[in-house]
Each structure stands twice: as structure tokens, then as C-alpha cells.
Amino acid sequence: MKIFKFGGASVKSAEGVRNLQSIINTEKDNLVVVISAMGKTTNALEAVTNSFFSQKPDLMRNVQIVKDFHEQIVSELFNDRTLIDTLLDELYKKLHDIVCQKPTKNYDYEYDRIVSFGELISTTIVAAFLNVEPTATKTCKFVDIRTCLKTDENFREGNVNIDLSEKLCHTIFTFEDTNCYLTQGFIAGTLTNQTTTLGREGSDYTAAILANLLNADSLTIWKDVPGVMNADPKRYDEVVIIPRMNYKEAIELSYCGASVIHPKTVKPLQNKKIPLHVRSFIEPEKQGSIINEFQERVQMPPIYINKNNQVLLTLRPRDFSFIAEERLSHIFSILAGYKLKVSLIQMSAISFSLCIDYNKIHFNALISDLKDEYEVLYNTDVELITIRHYTQEIVDKLVGEKVVFVEQRNRNTIRFVVPTN
Ligand code: ASP
Ligand code: MG
């Protein structure tokens, strides 16, 4: 059995949905197909959430944007709209019922119950298309993943209850009456059936968890790039595909900010030695990249990863005390309170620097919390550049005369915090 994951870019149009159909039609094995929200729907639903939470007048207009976008796709996909219209009306009614009430005080809870509609709508459309249109050669059974992928109530970053989810998934994905299931990435449910999400771009993670729980033979992530590249082609010339890499390389890359794989994706696969294929839905005949455990050493080209939108914070205890263990745990507990991800740390006796993702909503509150005990200096608008398998020549060429705020290097990897261009 294989897992296929299709991201938002692959289903952003009617043509994309047809292309997905032709990819899965050629697959002979049993399949679980995991799909994200279409195109930029998650961003559009974040706008709905924000208008709803702050009760802004543009709320209904933002809801309409989401509906109009999907209407365009549906109108190009279906000749007979009876079924799809009934299914979508049900979903839109549920969304309306939510946004017409008063919001609770829990932003993350409201976020999850609204933003999850992106995946619910996309899978509803794709399942209806695969199952009823006359071109269908493979039918896929629709699964609401919230019934079997269970998390705690940590909204927006749900922690999966592995044991329970494993049991439930085995009762649902039995392959007794179908050879293909279709379900949502990114979203999950709590024990009391509240909707949660697994963090932005979390559909890869869903697919990896399902691969692990169901002991899949492989996971394929279908993307708009030909595979894992050694740099972002939009920023660097002479970019190459990396055809093979180890899990360890992949987890390091995703942690450093390579957006091709979500950082949480690798572990569930590595734990069961399930190969991960990254392939292009535009050129599905090509092999793409494979991430697996290789016995032999795999030769790697230099790999460049730019992580944008970072803030460099430097903290000094006001009383001139050392940055010791209690200090660190205090700082990290403040960051965890805001669900901020740390991408680099560096410390000296009385100062501690760290790079975090810039989060406009929480930034001022974070700084004021930290200022209680620390003198705080910060640079917004910085980026973190990582080069794996570097040579000095590469470093000189790339960083050369640039201002560098922080530099860290070991044998394999060099990292710089520099001002954004
Ligand atoms: N739709 C979600 C997002 O855009 C999840 C995903 O695409 O993986 O973040
Ligand atoms: Mg996406």
C-alpha cells in the first residue's frame, strides 16, 4: 500500500484536479490519497478567522472569497452539479453557523475550526469528481480524518495520540471494499471531536503519520518542483536535483528551513524505514528524489537554505548573572508560550542570542515579557542562511562582504544570520 500526498499547488485549479486523477489512475497498488486545501485557501481562511475573531466588517466578504474561488473550480469540473452542490452547501452552512456566532476567547480554537474547512472543501470536491464523473476509472472512498487521527487539545499544533490513532486508522483504512481512500492532510480531531490542525504546511506530516500507522510501502509527495533541489531556483543559478539522500540529511535540511519537506515529516518515516519520494505532478514520468536509509555513502552537492522572516534576539540578564540552566528554561518557556520556533541559538557568559520566526501578532508581547528580566536587543528583517557540505570558496562567494550578525560552523554545515536584502 502506498500513500500519495497532493499539496495545495497541485489542486489549485480544475486542471490540477484532472491531473491528480490521471496520476492516481495509473497506480495499481492500494492507495491512501492525502490532500491539502486548494491553492492559497488556508491563507484566505486565516483572513476569515482574523475578521471573525476581531469581529471586523469584512468577515462575510472574506467568506465569499473562499466560496468564489472554489466555485470557479467546481464550475469547470462538473457537468452534473447535483451531488457536489449539496455536499458543499452543507459545508458552507456549517462555516456560516460558526462565523455567525460570537467568537470564544480562544483564538487557536477558532482558527482550527475555521481553517480546517479548506481541507474539508478540497477533499469533498476531489472525491466527488473522482467518484461520479464519467472519466472515473478509480473510485476513492472519502474519509473524514478527524474520526481517526486524534490529537490533544493543543489547537494549531495538535500532538497526535499515536496509540489511539493507530487503532482507529486500522478500523477505517481496511481496504476491504475499496483499493483507494481519499482524506485530508493538516487537520485532525480531539477525543471530544473538536477540530485541530497540525501546524501550517502540516499535510506532509499527516501523510507521514498515516504511512507509519498503516505500515505503508512508501510515501510520495507530489510537488510543483521536480524533486528535492540543492537550492531555491528562484534565488540561485545552477540548481540541481538531489536524486537520493538519507533520512538524516532530509531532517537536517527541513529543520534548517528547506520548505520542500515539512520538518516533522521525516521521523515517522524513518522510524519504520518507509521511503519518501518527492516527485513533480507536472512531470509525473520523472523519478524525482528518494529519501531512504542507504548503506553506502551518498555524495551530496552543496545545499543552500535561506530561511526568511527571522528575528535575531539578544538577551542579557539585567542583574549580570550567568546564562545558566534555569535562565535557559525560563527563556524557552516564554517562547513556548507563544509557540515560537527557535532556529538558531548562541550563548556566552551573560548573553544569549537566538533566531526565531518573526510573528507580527505576538512580537510586542514577547519582547515585553522578556524585558521583565533581560535587556533585549533585536534585529527584525534578518535571514538565516545555511550551507551544508560547504567549501570555503562557496562561503566567500556567498557571504563575501555582507554584514554577518552571527556565524556558526561545524565540519558539515555553516550558518549565517544576515540582514535581509
Ligand atoms: N493547507 C495547509 C497549509 O497551507 C496545510 C498544507 O498545505 O500542508 O498550511
Ligand atoms: Mg499548502
Side-chain angles (χ1 to χ4, degrees), residues 109-306:
Y109 164 78
E110 300 297 355
Y111 179 101
D112 281 359
R113 60 180 191 146
I114 292 174
V115 164
S116 53
F117 276 89
E119 272 67 13
L120 294 171
I121 297 169
S122 72
T123 46
T124 298
I125 294 173
V126 177
F129 179 71
L130 295 178
N131 293 339
V132 303
E133 280 301 289
T135 51
T137 53
K138 189 178 213 121
T139 55
C140 288
K141 199 164 170 181
F142 179 93
V143 173
D144 183 335
I145 199 71
R146 297 173 298 177
T147 60
C148 54
L149 189 63
K150 292 294 180 185
T151 67
D152 59 8
E153 294 192 356
N154 191 29
F155 295 103
R156 290 185 77 183
E157 189 91 50
N159 298 296
V160 176
N161 179 331
I162 294 288
D163 291 341
L164 177 60
S165 303
E166 180 163 28
K167 280 198 200 92
L168 293 171
C169 283
H170 278 281
T171 64
I172 302 246
F173 298 96
T174 59
F175 291 98
E176 273 162 12
D177 52 355
T178 181
N179 59 5
C180 181
Y181 292 90
L182 183 138
T183 195
Q184 305 79 28
F186 179 54
I187 72 173
T190 66
L191 291 181
T192 57
N193 299 323
Q194 311 283 359
T195 302
T196 51
T197 63
L198 305 177
R200 278 307 302 263
E201 306 302 331
S203 297
D204 290 0
Y205 180 51
T206 305
I209 290 273
L210 288 179
N212 176 302
L213 300 183
L214 299 171
N215 299 310
D217 297 314
S218 66
L219 163 60
T220 304
I221 298 184
W222 294 93
K223 304 211 51 125
D224 55 0
V225 290
V228 179
M229 321 286 282
N230 74 323
D232 179 352
K234 288 186 209 105
R235 308 177 76 125
Y236 295 87
D237 315 324
E238 294 174 41
V239 168
V240 294
I241 295 183
I242 306 172
R244 284 150 46 97
M245 69 168 83
N246 284 314
Y247 293 116
K248 184 168 170 297
E249 185 71 39
I251 208 157
E252 293 288 352
L253 292 189
S254 60
Y255 174 77
C256 293
S259 59
V260 62
I261 311 165
H262 186 277
K264 283 157 104 183
T265 309
V266 182
K267 177 178 182 284
L269 300 174
Q270 187 279 340
N271 289 177
K272 290 213 172 153
K273 307 281 178 270
I274 299 168
L276 167 61
H277 300 267
V278 178
R279 295 177 61 180
S280 159
F281 61 78
I282 302 159
E283 298 175 298
E285 63 293 345
K286 299 217 168 129
Q287 279 311 305
S289 302
I290 173 162
I291 294 145
N292 205 344
E293 195 118 287
F294 296 107
Q295 294 311 322
E296 71 278 18
R297 240 184 91 90
V298 185
Q299 186 60 39
M300 283 290 145
I303 303 177
Y304 303 80
I305 306 147
N306 293 60

